[in-house]
Amino acid sequence: MEVLNFLPNQYRETGALEINHNYLIEQFADYPLIFKKIEKLIQVGDYTLGAEVNRFESRFAEIVGTKFALGVGSGTDALFLSLRALDLQPGDEVITTPYTFYATIGAIVTAGGRPVFVDVKEDYNIDPKKIEAAITPKTKAILPVHWSGNPCDMDEITALAEKYRLPIVEDSCHGIMAKYKGRGLGSFGFGCFSMHPLKNLNVWGDGGVICTNDEGTYKKLSLLRNHGLINRDQCEVWAYNSRLDTLQAIVANHLLDKIAHITDARIENAQYYDQALGSISGIKVPPRSPDKKAVYHIYVIQAERRNELQDHLVKSGVDAKVHYPIPMHLQPAAKPWGYKVGDFPRAESICNSVISLPVHEFITPEQRTFVVERVKEFYS
Amino acid sequence: MRQESIPFVNLGIQFERFQNEIIEKFKQISSAGHYILGAEVEAFEHEFAEYCQAKFALGVANGADALFLVMKALGVGAGDEVITAPNSFLASAGAIVATGARATFCDVAEDYNLDPEKLAAAITPKTKGVMPVHLTGLPADMGPILEVANKHGLFVLEDCAQAVGARYKGKRIGAIGTAGAFSLHPLKNLHVHGDGGAITTNDEKLYQKLKLLRNHGLKNRDECEIWGYNSRLDAIQAAIARIKLRHLDEMTTRYQTIADNYWRGLKGVVRVPDRPDFAEGVYHNFVIQVERRPQLQEYLSSKGIETKIHYPIPIHLQQPARKWGHQEGDFPVAERQVTKILSLPIYPELTDEQVSRVISEIRFFYEAT
């Protein structure tokens, strides 16, 4: 069985594994049901936006707990369009974390902004105590990343945002169904979600969502995703094409029925890992908080001799991955900004030691026991 | 007797034709779990490049992104200008503005495409490139456009959104200029079941850069070479495009036959499209120019015949362009055309009888009233 990742060439290497990160074949085992709905759509020929997208948007808004949700082309576009809605000017700064996926930074740069990095805490998320020192007159937004689906410290971040009158753009791409003190991630400002095939709620290609409680923002974003058109013939602002495909909305609607189960199963697997791995010397499980409902898009821990552990696991048939080995400020693309090793020590040490274990809803109790045994065996 | 209606588009019947093939492909892809890039996208790119007589092709998220990514890869940004046609779809100018540059315009000729004779006058020291639009599926006059562009060191980005398969002096459009940007939107001649786009070029360096830009700037899983975007053609859409590409020539011939019937049937009654010697159009739209347009449109509609206007407001008179100081009279040819143009139904599944009926109703309208 081949394994999918976002780059086609590297998953071939891990093609023979028993316990995979990828679970798409299992997840879409009922694809004939989805085909039935797609066939109907195709016969009507209504491929762009329309009823199925509207239905998805209202259901998604309800899950997150916002007034509005808007389907867009991808999680990257969700971030980009949100920042565009803030009308960033060249030189404007956006505060974010160096421990994230490239798209967070790409979106800021595309929107004309300059990312300003703040180091992370032990839970891999932005350290609210360090944000204030990074705020300048040019700061236009705070962009926390809920890494792995684990909520950031939103009370502290919200307090700062209010104090400095800065909007919050949440990178919730990993965090559908996650909650902070009972409140849905993605409801604190602009909530940006991805439905890439490897996400907890996933479609058959690229797709994303933006959530907001503000009607004006919602209207602006609606224009920005569809060429700025207020009707077929009139353009109000120069804009983009970034729509959630109607066909993908069908897939998303199908999965929304299952998202509670998907989430619970991931949490159960993660809790098992936490308990079983927490006592192993050599493994560091990040701190968990009762205030935070994490949804484990990936299950990330820190490991001594990480690369060797990864080799050991892969050889044993466990698709262990590293998300990701190089922080953003040390990427080749960040060179012009002049960062150096040591600028964000926590993010750097995390990148050197994190490892991700398969945690999706199709992992069986036997499989997760097997994974734990292989980790124990490595450190014994 | 009440006659059957003739809708402007009818995607349902095209799907019936390819239904089995498409569903089979969907099953294959979903049972393998390959949704992002990968073999289907690569195969589409290879076949599409060959079809367009280009060295390289790249699948992207949509036609607007195709334009945007090429300009980004060519370094277009704030302070630059790119010249395009004022009568195109908004996305042509929108993509220019998305790069940070300003869209400037050059009036069109009677064939609805950039008027090469007016191009030089539109160039300023800030101009970085020209974006001719092969509007309605008819190639712009690329020879003189390239000549002017080369003289001024400008890139030429072909907006091929409406013109897949069209030929300019025997050569397919898409890699005649620096690069070509295609849309695979459901209403295009070659289309998928959602948004999709493609870029063609003969320039390997440009191709390599575009490959980075569409996928987060990643040179491998862990290293980001340049901050990029996410603009990928979905694998399932690539699979659909491949199925349809195999039938594109045959569908194009049908578009051309219908256009020819309209042309002969309506010549002398309304203004039929120019058919310049240098171009072989693919008639994404069949656009006529008419007197008393609202009345004609209403009459046809009463007979069940749906028509459209592509597009009633030229780009330079759209709200956001007026902020650049544009006003009526800036591009008189485009402005005159928009008051008269009307697009007739045209798609491969339209029957000869339906075409004849559209022709006779238009003739009847002008003869009887």
Side-chain angles (χ1 to χ4, degrees):
Chain A
M1 186 168 77
E2 275 202 331
V3 184
L4 178 82
N5 205 317
F6 63 94
L7 281 179
N9 290 325
Q10 50 130 113
Y11 51 83
R12 293 190 187 121
E13 302 161 14
T14 53
L17 300 187
E18 298 288 323
I19 304 177
N20 284 304
H21 257 94
N22 183 294
Y23 52 98
L24 291 173
I25 293 165
E26 294 93 330
Q27 192 172 26
F28 292 119
D30 61 348
Y31 62 81
L33 290 175
I34 303 176
F35 283 144
K36 280 222 172 80
K37 296 177 197 167
I38 290 178
E39 273 179 55
K40 241 185 255 168
L41 169 86
I42 289 173
Q43 275 147 16
V44 178
D46 185 10
Y47 297 108
T48 306
L49 302 175
E52 199 68 42
V53 176
N54 294 341
R55 191 165 85 89
F56 166 74
E57 290 172 344
S58 57
R59 293 176 75 193
F60 197 87
E62 201 181 309
I63 280 182
V64 176
T66 51
K67 285 190 190 143
F68 307 99
L70 198 80
V72 297
S74 66
T76 314
D77 278 5
L79 290 164
F80 163 70
L81 292 170
S82 297
L83 293 165
R84 264 297 283 117
L86 294 173
D87 293 318
L88 291 195
Q89 300 301 312
D92 284 351
E93 295 172 355
V94 177
I95 292 176
T96 193
T97 150
Y99 180 52
T100 183
F101 182 65
Y102 321 92
T104 316
I105 313 309
I108 295 171
V109 174
T110 309
R114 155 87 205 260
V116 171
F117 297 115
V118 167
D119 208 355
V120 293
K121 301 195 313 169
E122 280 188 339
D123 66 355
Y124 314 146
N125 282 337
I126 193 164
D127 187 344
K129 290 200 185 72
K130 294 183 175 153
I131 291 178
E132 196 156 14
I135 295 175
T136 76
K138 287 181 177 172
T139 307
K140 287 293 166 344
I142 303 174
L143 199 162
V145 180
H146 305 298
W147 188 249
S148 79
N150 181 39
C152 295
D153 295 334
M154 292 313 291
D155 277 351
E156 290 82 346
I157 292 169
T158 306
L160 281 170
E162 277 167 11
K163 182 174 169 192
Y164 291 93
R165 295 171 178 276
L166 293 170
I168 297 174
V169 177
E170 294 176 77
D171 185 337
S172 323
C173 286
H174 292 179
I176 178 171
M177 297 289 279
K179 287 191 161 56
Y180 176 82
K181 294 187 177 174
R183 184 170 163 187
L185 288 195
S187 69
F188 293 83
F190 294 82
C192 304
F193 293 87
S194 163
M195 297 194 289
H196 177 277
L198 292 181
K199 296 302 192 295
N200 293 18
L201 178 78
N202 50 8
V203 297
W204 291 352
D206 276 307
V209 196
I210 308 173
C211 289
T212 175
N213 281 316
D214 182 62
E215 189 170 358
T217 300
Y218 168 73
K219 284 187 174 155
K220 191 165 184 183
L221 290 167
S222 304
L223 287 176
L224 289 177
R225 77 162 164 185
N226 194 23
H227 303 297
L229 289 169
I230 45 172
N231 54 46
R232 178 184 179 275
D233 300 321
Q234 278 179 294
C235 166
E236 187 154 298
V237 286
W238 297 119
Y240 313 93
N241 177 353
S242 179
R243 303 175 287 226
L244 174 65
D245 279 342
T246 313
L247 187 152
Q248 306 293 8
I250 290 178
V251 181
N253 271 324
H254 179 79
L255 277 184
L256 273 182
D257 297 337
K258 307 179 179 186
I259 189 66
H261 163 74
I262 292 171
T263 307
D264 290 348
R266 284 171 174 268
I267 291 172
E268 195 196 313
N269 286 336
Q271 283 171 346
Y272 173 86
Y273 281 144
D274 273 3
Q275 205 173 21
L277 298 170
S279 55
I280 299 175
S281 137
I283 292 290
K284 193 171 155 198
V285 172
R288 311 292 185 195
S289 156
D291 287 339
K292 297 175 178 180
K293 181 188 175 192
V295 295
Y296 304 98
H297 161 59
I298 40 179
Y299 180 80
V300 189
I301 50 176
Q302 283 169 271
E304 281 171 22
R305 295 186 287 135
R306 188 260 319 271
N307 294 353
E308 288 165 60
L309 174 63
Q310 190 186 13
D311 281 350
H312 175 74
L313 289 172
V314 169
K315 276 183 194 136
S316 316
V318 177
D319 186 16
K321 290 195 181 295
V322 175
H323 299 97
Y324 291 92
I326 304 169
M328 293 302 118
H329 66 288
L330 300 179
Q331 289 287 340
K335 257 184 208 142
W337 298 326
Y339 290 111
K340 57 186 189 308
V341 176
D343 283 348
F344 305 103
R346 182 100 61 182
E348 291 165 24
S349 96
I350 285 170
C351 287
N352 287 330
S353 56
V354 281
I355 189 162
S356 308
L357 304 177
V359 72
H360 58 78
E361 66 268 31
F362 297 99
I363 296 291
T364 64
E366 293 73 31
Q367 287 178 318
R368 64 194 192 200
T369 309
F370 180 85
V371 173
V372 169
E373 291 306 318
R374 299 289 80 75
V375 176
K376 280 188 177 155
E377 159 188 291
F378 176 78
Y379 286 109
S380 67
Chain B
M1 193 189 84
R2 198 180 151 71
Q3 281 176 304
E4 178 205 2
S5 68
I6 305 178
F8 190 76
V9 285
N10 192 342
L11 291 170
I13 47 176
Q14 185 168 120
F15 175 68
E16 275 171 34
R17 180 175 166 197
F18 297 112
Q19 186 168 19
N20 294 339
E21 255 182 292
I22 290 173
I23 296 285
E24 211 36 58
K25 221 31 183 174
F26 270 33
K27 279 181 191 159
Q28 243 178 51
I29 290 171
S30 28
S31 60
H34 278 167
Y35 297 106
I36 303 285
L37 300 178
E40 278 300 331
V41 177
E42 280 165 31
F44 166 72
E45 290 171 346
H46 184 77
E47 290 160 13
F48 193 70
E50 195 177 278
Y51 185 85
C52 296
Q53 301 169 348
K55 282 193 189 140
F56 307 100
L58 200 76
V60 297
N62 58 63
D65 278 10
L67 291 167
F68 168 77
L69 291 168
V70 171
M71 290 186 282
K72 272 300 194 191
L74 292 169
V76 175
D80 296 336
E81 292 176 0
V82 177
I83 300 169
T84 191
N87 62 344
S88 182
F89 181 61
L90 285 160
S92 310
I96 296 170
V97 178
T99 66
R102 194 187 133 169
T104 58
F105 302 100
C106 166
D107 208 354
V108 294
E110 294 304 334
D111 64 1
Y112 306 118
N113 283 331
L114 272 190
D115 187 342
E117 284 178 18
K118 294 179 181 159
L119 184 55
I123 296 170
T124 77
K126 291 179 179 171
T127 307
K128 287 290 174 311
V130 186
M131 184 199 293
V133 183
H134 306 305
L135 205 70
T136 75
L138 182 77
D141 195 357
M142 293 300 290
I145 291 172
L146 281 166
E147 206 173 295
V148 175
N150 290 341
K151 196 172 138 195
H152 291 83
L154 309 176
F155 68 79
V156 176
L157 168 55
E158 300 173 62
D159 182 340
C160 309
Q162 304 189 349
V164 63
R167 291 172 197 267
Y168 176 75
K169 296 190 175 166
K171 189 173 168 18
R172 295 242 203 246
I173 51 102
I176 296 173
T178 316
F182 292 82
S183 164
L184 303 172
H185 180 272
L187 296 179
K188 299 304 194 297
N189 290 21
L190 176 71
H191 64 250
V192 297
H193 292 178
D195 273 309
I199 298 168
T200 48
T201 183
N202 288 330
D203 180 341
E204 184 167 5
K205 241 176 92 184
L206 179 62
Y207 165 73
Q208 295 296 354
K209 189 153 186 196
L210 287 165
K211 233 175 152 171
L212 283 177
L213 286 179
R214 76 157 167 190
N215 193 26
H216 303 298
L218 290 172
K219 62 175 181 181
N220 56 48
R221 178 181 180 275
D222 300 324
E223 279 184 286
C224 174
E225 176 94 9
I226 36 177
W227 300 114
Y229 315 95
N230 177 352
S231 181
R232 304 177 284 226
L233 175 64
D234 285 343
I236 53 170
Q237 307 292 10
I240 294 169
R242 289 183 69 202
I243 293 170
K244 300 208 167 178
L245 187 59
R246 291 200 283 276
H247 301 277
L248 183 58
D249 276 340
E250 161 211 324
M251 291 195 280
T252 298
T253 304
R254 182 68 194 148
Y255 276 102
Q256 290 166 334
T257 305
I258 295 169
D260 197 48
N261 289 347
Y262 275 144
W263 201 87
R264 284 185 286 111
L266 293 171
K267 192 176 185 327
V269 182
V270 297
R271 187 183 173 118
V272 290
D274 280 12
R275 301 202 287 191
D277 290 341
F278 57 72
E280 186 189 321
V282 295
Y283 298 96
H284 166 64
N285 283 317
F286 189 87
V287 179
I288 55 175
Q289 287 182 47
V290 302
E291 301 301 322
R292 291 187 286 142
R293 180 173 67 182
Q295 290 89 334
L296 173 64
Q297 209 176 6
E298 205 188 308
Y299 172 75
L300 291 174
S301 165
S302 76
K303 297 288 170 189
I305 298 167
E306 195 185 4
T307 56
K308 301 245 182 215
I309 298 166
H310 296 99
Y311 301 91
I313 306 169
I315 303 179
H316 69 284
L317 298 181
Q318 292 281 357
Q319 190 62 27
R322 285 194 183 254
K323 287 176 198 150
W324 294 330
H326 283 299
Q327 52 185 322
E328 270 151 66
D330 285 357
F331 304 103
V333 179
E335 289 169 32
R336 164 166 52 78
Q337 288 169 350
V338 299
T339 63
K340 295 181 184 295
I341 49 172
L342 189 69
S343 305
L344 304 179
I346 187 164
Y347 39 92
E349 298 79 12
L350 203 64
T351 63
D352 289 346
E353 292 68 38
Q354 288 176 313
V355 173
S356 301
R357 197 151 76 75
V358 175
I359 293 169
S360 27
E361 294 295 3
I362 294 172
R363 296 190 76 102
F364 180 82
F365 175 81
Y366 286 109
E367 281 156 16
T369 59

